[in-house]
Amino acid sequence: MAKPYTGSDATLLLGAEELAKVKQYSFSASAGLLETTSLGDNSRTFTYGLRTYTGSATLIYYKQDDNSNDASTLLKSIINTNTSGLSSTDKKALTMRFKDGTDLNDVAMNVYITGANFSASAGEILQAQISFQATGDLTSVSI
């Protein structure tokens, strides 16, 4: 019988560590097209150009028993007091994974956090939303 994947099969990893409190993540891949039409052609022609990978995630903002907070690690990539701005050292290794028993289905990449915000509502848990842009090729794909 076929097995549908659900949110309970999904995890998000920062480096090799699973982020414990992820509410949602999304990923998008797109390819640009380069026009190859020549004078005298009757129709436009194209070839593939550069690929782009972007995504977002909603993290539940919490503190572990040891006072660590993996949501904070991602947020500090863009929200910080560094007066010299952002740098290439702010790049993070991120993996989106869905599991089927011991079978791991991964999309891994190096990313820059491009946006972050917090939201809080009465009676709700504090959440942090991040958006990211991959740099370079995907580092691993096993889907």
Side-chain angles (χ1 to χ4, degrees), residues 39-60:
L39 292 174
D41 288 351
N42 292 321
S43 298
R44 291 179 180 232
T45 57
F46 298 89
T47 190
Y48 278 120
L50 300 175
R51 295 176 293 189
T52 301
Y53 307 104
T54 59
S56 64
T58 301
L59 312 170
I60 296 174

Side-chain angles (χ1 to χ4, degrees), residues 24 34 36 51-52 54 63 85 94 105 109 118 120 129:
Q24 166 279 338
L34 304 173
T36 58
R51 295 176 293 189
T52 301
T54 59
K63 192 180 289 185
L94 205 60
N105 301 281
M109 66 201 87
F118 295 96
Q129 293 81 29

Side-chain angles (χ1 to χ4, degrees), residues 9-13 25 95-99 104-107:
D9 300 313
T11 59
L12 187 64
L13 288 80
Y25 67 73
T95 302
M96 291 165 289
R97 171 176 289 166
F98 51 97
K99 299 182 235 181
L104 304 178
N105 301 281
D106 292 349
V107 176

Side-chain angles (χ1 to χ4, degrees), residues 83-101:
T83 58
S84 61
L86 304 172
S87 72
S88 60
T89 60
D90 294 316
K91 180 172 51 177
K92 304 293 181 201
L94 205 60
T95 302
M96 291 165 289
R97 171 176 289 166
F98 51 97
K99 299 182 235 181
D100 183 5

